Amino acid sequence: MIPTTNSLDGKHVILMGGSAGIGLATAKAAAEKGAIITIVASNQHRIDSALAQLPENATGQSVDLSKEENIQNFFTNQTSFDHLVYTAGENLQLTNIEETSLSEAQKFFTIRYWGALAAVKYGSSKINAGGSIVLTSGIAGNRPGKGWGIAASITSAMEGFTRAMAVELAPIRVNVVSPGIVKTDLWGAIPKEAREEMYQQYADSLLVKKVAIPEDIALAYIYLMEQSFGTGNTIVADGGGVLV
């Protein structure tokens, strides 16, 4: 029988943004399947905390993902690997267009879009045959709310970039995960009581009647690494958010 999936057992997975949230959940899920994990993030303390939750053969490296030369240097010093996952991002500020500072808005593209582009640019040549790249967008581009202009722009750009790279880098598979709202530290700037109220409002509106935790979304990244045929695809994991 012809195999239809690629086992992660013994595969080297590099997760940029892998020290917390969806990235860490994906690292844990891949490790449970036997993958060798390298996490990359800017905060060494969070890297150390993440490594304490991963197998002993996992490694981590502090890299400022806002700087192209740092990403280039990281991959220059890497041997070949199997899968690249990019989940890095910072807290987005939601503002209506008349209140949006263009200089501040441009900064939100630095890690979420340009960092991902640099990771693909410098990392793709090191990916082994049968390997893949999995990027991250979000449903803001499909169903934006008021104040989501910048978020919608970034997520839409990521999905267009994914399709272009699937063509350009073939036969390396390039896909993207589009999460809905997820309980992560990205919402940490909102006071706890208001944050929990927000989660409940979203849960009530979603078809699945709950807000995702990072482990829910991690399964989409695992699928995209393990499957062997899909490329240029956006996997939406949103609890039905684009439908309501």
Side-chain angles (χ1 to χ4, degrees):
M1 179 178 294
I2 299 174
T4 58
T5 60
N6 296 324
S7 170
L8 290 179
D9 189 26
K11 302 296 185 181
H12 184 190
V13 179
I14 294 178
L15 299 104
M16 308 195 86
S19 65
I22 293 171
L24 178 55
T26 303
K28 290 179 179 179
E32 289 177 0
K33 288 179 168 285
I36 301 165
I37 303 299
T38 297
I39 58 174
V40 180
S42 60
N43 187 304
Q44 187 62 53
H45 175 72
R46 294 179 75 170
I47 291 172
D48 293 340
S49 176
L51 289 175
Q53 304 172 59
L54 293 167
E56 291 185 359
N57 64 352
T59 58
Q61 188 168 333
S62 177
V63 177
D64 183 349
L65 298 178
S66 69
K67 294 181 169 55
E68 178 184 359
E69 61 270 26
N70 293 354
I71 296 173
Q72 180 181 14
N73 290 338
F74 169 78
F75 283 110
T76 296
N77 294 317
Q78 285 295 314
T79 58
S80 63
F81 61 97
D82 298 288
H83 300 283
L84 172 63
V85 175
Y86 194 96
T87 63
E90 70 300 298
N91 293 0
L92 282 169
Q93 295 177 0
L94 307 181
T95 58
N96 293 332
I97 190 65
E98 67 271 14
E99 301 165 346
T100 298
S101 163
L102 294 188
S103 60
E104 289 298 312
Q106 288 165 1
K107 293 178 183 178
F108 291 118
F109 281 82
T110 300
I111 292 177
R112 290 177 176 270
Y113 180 79
W114 294 114
L117 188 148
V120 172
K121 176 180 178 179
Y122 296 111
S124 57
S125 63
K126 297 289 186 76
I127 294 177
N128 294 323
S132 73
I133 297 169
V134 188
L135 304 175
T136 305
S137 63
I139 65 168
N142 300 87
R143 202 180 191 287
K146 291 182 63 176
W148 284 79
I150 301 308
S153 300
I154 295 171
T155 56
S156 297
M158 285 305 308
E159 293 180 16
F161 178 63
T162 295
R163 291 189 289 272
M165 290 301 98
V167 174
E168 183 172 326
L169 299 177
I172 294 173
R173 293 175 291 105
V174 186
N175 295 289
V176 61
V177 175
S178 177
I181 186 170
V182 186
K183 293 182 179 181
T184 71
D185 291 343
L186 289 179
W187 303 103
I190 301 175
K192 182 178 180 181
E193 184 174 339
R195 187 168 67 247
E196 291 302 322
E197 182 178 350
M198 178 190 73
Y199 288 150
Q200 189 57 55
Q201 288 176 346
Y202 271 103
D204 291 342
S205 71
L206 291 174
L207 299 180
V208 297
K209 299 304 177 186
K210 68 174 185 176
V211 171
I213 59 174
E215 288 75 12
D216 294 322
I217 311 302
L219 297 176
Y221 293 84
I222 297 299
Y223 163 72
L224 288 172
M225 286 187 279
E226 288 193 321
Q227 61 84 34
S228 62
F229 199 61
T231 191
N233 294 326
T234 300
I235 300 298
V236 178
D238 70 340
V242 297
L243 301 176
V244 296

